[in-house]
Amino acid sequence: MSDTWRTRAIRLLLILIAVVWSGFPIFLVVMSSFKDVREIFAVPPSFVFTPTLDSYRRLGQLWPAFYPNMLNSLIITTGATVLTVVVTSMAGYVYARYSSRLLTGSAFFMIFVRMFPPIIITLPLFPAVNLLGLSDTHVLLIVLYATFFVSLGTWIMRAFIEQIPRELEEAAFVDGADLFKTLTRVILPLAAQGIVASSIFVLVFSWNEFIFALIFTTRVAKTAPLIISEMLSTADGVEWGILFAAATIQLLPVLVFVIAVQRYVVAGLQAGAVKG
Amino acid sequence: MWTLRPIHYLMVAPVHLLLLVFIFLPALYVGWLSLTHSTFGGPPEFVGLSNFVTLLGDRIFWRSFWNTLIVVNVVVYGELALGLGLALLMAGWVPFKRVVIAIILAPYAITEVTTVVMWRYMLEPDVGMINYALKSIGLGQIEYSTDPFTALMVVSVLAIWQHLPFTFLILYAAVTTIPSELIESAKVDGATPWQTFWHVTLRLILPAVFVALMFRYIFAMRIFSEVWLLTEGGPARMTEVLAVYLYRQAFRYHEFGGASATGWMLLLLSLVIALPYLRAMYVKLFRHV
């Protein structure tokens, strides 16, 4: 492409705008978490300052529940991701290799159910969950989060497993491997990219989800986004420094993860949304 | 070995069990609940369509309906325009492309709660960065806590910021699969960049555009956190959207019947929007059986 210097300059400017638009608010949160409280609303805004860990110290003192809630997020996210990977690997394999009217019908059912707005299921679930004593438990959120991603996950796994040559399975079968062995020794190692791709979506969702956590947790299983939202709506004024420190701790691990696996995000979306 | 056996049905069973038990059956039950008077403790009592009648006569329901409609359309088409522009931009020469794409993707990793935190910080009256900048160049301030329309626009900007990566990625993937010979030959034939875009690029990525549109419509309609954490639907319930309205009905006023009616409307709207996509998928799936 033979761009003139002028079109190049315009391109660069537009790219710069896009980068600032996407990145600056996040940068601002992380940067401000290291600011002295008085510096946070400095007028005009300051970008050069002596970093301090003061906000992080006070986060631990004033919101002692924050770190246990981070741990809850970790447990719930791990659980939901593992559950999703296990059930979608099995289902994705079957959809990749076999077909029947019933299977096709059930595949359509999976796509159909994806259109349901999650909030509506809280209505019957809320009393049922209270009755069963499942309210405010990790396992409830694990199962709910996984449920909303098994459909996408199955679709992604199917797309990846389809590309594995059947001959490999036939060879394993001749060697006397049963279905379980074939799956765990032949298929899954080769579909590792699919596992990563389908994990990303449920992982990011579970780590960040707000409304189910708001409705179904109160104390024991409360997640990080929920306690951050509480910091945002305290009656006696928001403590921005603490809020930024908490938000930074919550966002950095998953941000690093998403950037590390960015090419699988594209692959997953392609397999999940566009292909039939 | 390639015959379908019962074990294979057993392998797809867990996925379907989850979907049935936690989504499909509860959704159907919500349909039943919407026909009842239901609150905490007491058993649901059948009241016919009266919840829907109440809903349609409720000023606040209609306000949240129109608010949802406004936000959804601003978000979906705003995202489409930005996402398409960005996809075309990124398909050409870009320095440090991987880094730039990583930064564009970043908002996807952020929880809605933190998104609200950062935008509320920038929009604090007088001292927030955006309001400070606007004020110092004499443009007044963005006051979302008093002006409902401004609040809805701020909510839309937040949602666009949060979900642009999704729209961008789907369109970017489509744009990058266009064979470059097609673009080149259009240029050789003397097409202007605009003609090339309109007659070649857009034609080829149209399916991806529709998929992105459909998914974003359906997801945008569920919008809750941005509104709840920014305004709680206020002032005076002026900025509620359907999901917030439903949440208030159910978890503040304990009117599960009425909330279920709202929920069913949300579900039906989603299905109507998804219909063309569902139809296309149905045809595609059953073509080979």
Side-chain angles (χ1 to χ4, degrees), chain A residues 122-132 135 214-216 218, chain B residues 29 33 36-45 246-260:
Chain A
T122 63
L123 300 170
L125 241 45
F126 186 71
V129 156
N130 282 334
L131 201 70
L132 296 170
S135 183
L214 174 70
I215 292 171
F216 291 116
T218 46
Chain B
Y29 188 68
L33 275 184
T36 67
H37 176 74
S38 163
T39 183
F40 258 130
E45 167 199 340
L246 182 155
Y247 177 81
R248 227 182 245 287
Q249 270 181 310
F251 300 104
R252 292 286 157 101
Y253 307 138
H254 302 302
E255 279 180 37
F256 284 95
S260 299

Side-chain angles (χ1 to χ4, degrees), chain A residues 80-135:
Chain A
T81 308
V82 170
L83 179 59
T84 306
V85 165
V86 171
V87 297
T88 61
S89 300
M90 292 192 297
Y93 169 77
V94 174
Y95 285 111
R97 291 294 190 243
Y98 300 92
S99 78
S100 73
R101 277 201 90 77
L102 190 59
L103 275 181
T104 310
S106 71
F108 182 73
F109 171 74
M110 287 198 305
I111 300 173
F112 179 67
V113 170
R114 257 170 90 183
M115 306 302 161
F116 288 35
I119 194 172
I120 68 170
I121 69 151
T122 63
L123 300 170
L125 241 45
F126 186 71
V129 156
N130 282 334
L131 201 70
L132 296 170
L134 283 172
S135 183

Side-chain angles (χ1 to χ4, degrees), chain A residues 127-175:
Chain A
V129 156
N130 282 334
L131 201 70
L132 296 170
L134 283 172
S135 183
D136 203 16
T137 60
H138 297 92
V139 76
L140 176 71
L141 287 186
I142 289 175
V143 171
L144 283 182
Y145 292 164
T147 300
F148 280 93
F149 281 84
V150 291
S151 163
L152 179 65
T154 304
W155 229 236
I156 291 173
M157 288 308 290
R158 187 193 78 143
F160 276 86
I161 292 174
E162 254 173 2
Q163 288 164 14
I164 302 170
R166 287 173 178 238
E167 289 76 26
L168 293 177
E169 271 172 75
E170 281 156 3
F173 181 72
V174 171
D175 289 346

Side-chain angles (χ1 to χ4, degrees), chain B residues 40-51:
Chain B
F40 258 130
E45 167 199 340
F46 184 78
V47 292
L49 288 173
S50 86
N51 285 324

Side-chain angles (χ1 to χ4, degrees), chain A residues 191-213:
Chain A
Q193 297 194 329
I195 294 179
V196 175
S198 64
S199 302
I200 298 167
F201 298 97
V202 63
L203 188 148
V204 172
F205 176 80
S206 310
W207 186 256
N208 290 335
E209 203 276 340
F210 177 67
I211 187 164
F212 284 159

Side-chain angles (χ1 to χ4, degrees), chain B residues 142-214:
Chain B
I142 296 172
E143 290 173 36
Y144 66 84
S145 56
T146 47
D147 179 42
F149 185 74
T150 306
L152 292 177
M153 288 307 111
V154 171
V155 163
S156 307
V157 169
L158 256 70
I160 291 175
W161 185 83
Q162 182 97 66
H163 300 287
L164 187 61
F166 176 86
T167 311
F168 162 72
L169 276 185
I170 288 192
L171 298 176
Y172 178 64
V175 169
T176 48
T177 51
I178 297 175
S180 55
E181 303 90 64
L182 282 178
I183 308 284
E184 290 303 320
S185 69
K187 273 190 194 146
V188 171
D189 291 344
T192 63
W194 174 251
Q195 284 173 326
T196 313
F197 168 72
W198 191 253
H199 293 291
V200 184
T201 311
L202 193 60
R203 290 288 139 89
L204 291 169
I205 63 169
L206 214 52
V209 170
F210 282 130
V211 168
L213 267 182
M214 192 278 307

